[in-house]
Amino acid sequence: MPTGAHGLREHGFAPVVLPPVPAAVTAGFRDHPYRTLRLRMSWTADDDWLFQYVPPSGAPAPGGPVRDLADRRLAAGLGALLRRTLSGPWLDVHADWLISLHRLRTLAPAGTTTRVDQPQPLPPDCEFTLLALLDQEGEGSLRSRLHGPAGTSETALRPGQGLLLDRRTVTEDLHDLLAGPGGPVTQDLLTAHLSPAADPPASALRIRPMLVRGPTGTLLHTRPALR
């Protein structure tokens, strides 16, 4: 199976290994299984990605401040998960990224194959998609069929594994949950669609001065530089 930046360039996809799923992510999706969240990802002077929660536009969500606080906690847990999963040379650190996140729960009866459908159309400016298999109950696997620059490929994912797709080269992807004969299977799949932010970078860590130690007893103002 193709790996890393080479796999993305030659085949349009590459497998990734997920870090342990934060408890906030598990709890947040358990309490509100079909919510949609958005994050903004910006590169900082600390050579790391900063994840910021993007509140929904328009009318306030049901639940008011309580729901907003729960969303922010879930967003913080997702940021910790994505920081390790998405890091790589394929992402432009000079641009901010908007991430639309969905959790898909799929149930397949024993011995059957069930299509895993996306909850919303793919954003037209999406450049990358991460499929992360968070959890599974029962015996089964997720089968993905991808059509990219090298033709049609097929791969299977198990819990703790993910798939990174380059949407600029992968023209079609289909995903099925295959249940074993012993009983039904339930899978929780996280999808993260990455699109370049349309507005100029506005990360607070980019625009505010940083304080660094100078000669004894002094502080110097400087600005972070992107690598």
Side-chain angles (χ1 to χ4, degrees), residues 67-153:
R67 171 63 182 270
D68 184 69
L69 179 60
D71 281 350
R72 291 180 183 275
R73 288 175 176 169
L74 177 56
L78 288 168
L81 176 69
L82 296 175
R83 178 174 287 107
R84 288 182 55 187
T85 310
L86 293 176
S87 296
W90 43 81
L91 288 182
D92 181 6
V93 299
H94 297 280
D96 281 11
W97 296 87
L98 292 179
I99 309 176
S100 298
L101 295 134
H102 309 275
R103 180 263 210 157
L104 305 178
R105 167 160 287 186
T106 305
L107 173 64
T112 65
T113 299
T114 302
R115 177 65 50 83
V116 179
D117 293 320
Q118 295 285 344
Q120 296 180 1
L122 193 69
D125 57 347
C126 177
E127 292 193 6
F128 297 97
T129 291
L130 172 69
L131 303 173
L133 191 47
L134 299 181
D135 194 19
Q136 174 179 301
E137 295 181 3
E139 180 184 353
S141 63
L142 180 67
R143 181 181 64 187
S144 299
R145 296 185 300 280
L146 313 169
H147 186 75
T152 301
S153 303

Side-chain angles (χ1 to χ4, degrees), residues 169-192:
T169 57
V170 172
T171 58
E172 183 181 16
D173 60 301
L174 299 173
H175 310 278
D176 297 315
L177 173 57
L178 282 66
V185 178
T186 302
Q187 279 192 347
D188 286 329
L189 182 69
L190 176 70
T191 66

Side-chain angles (χ1 to χ4, degrees), residues 2-23:
T3 59
H6 175 75
L8 280 178
R9 183 173 59 254
E10 300 295 331
H11 299 271
F13 69 95
V16 295
V17 178
L18 305 181
V21 179

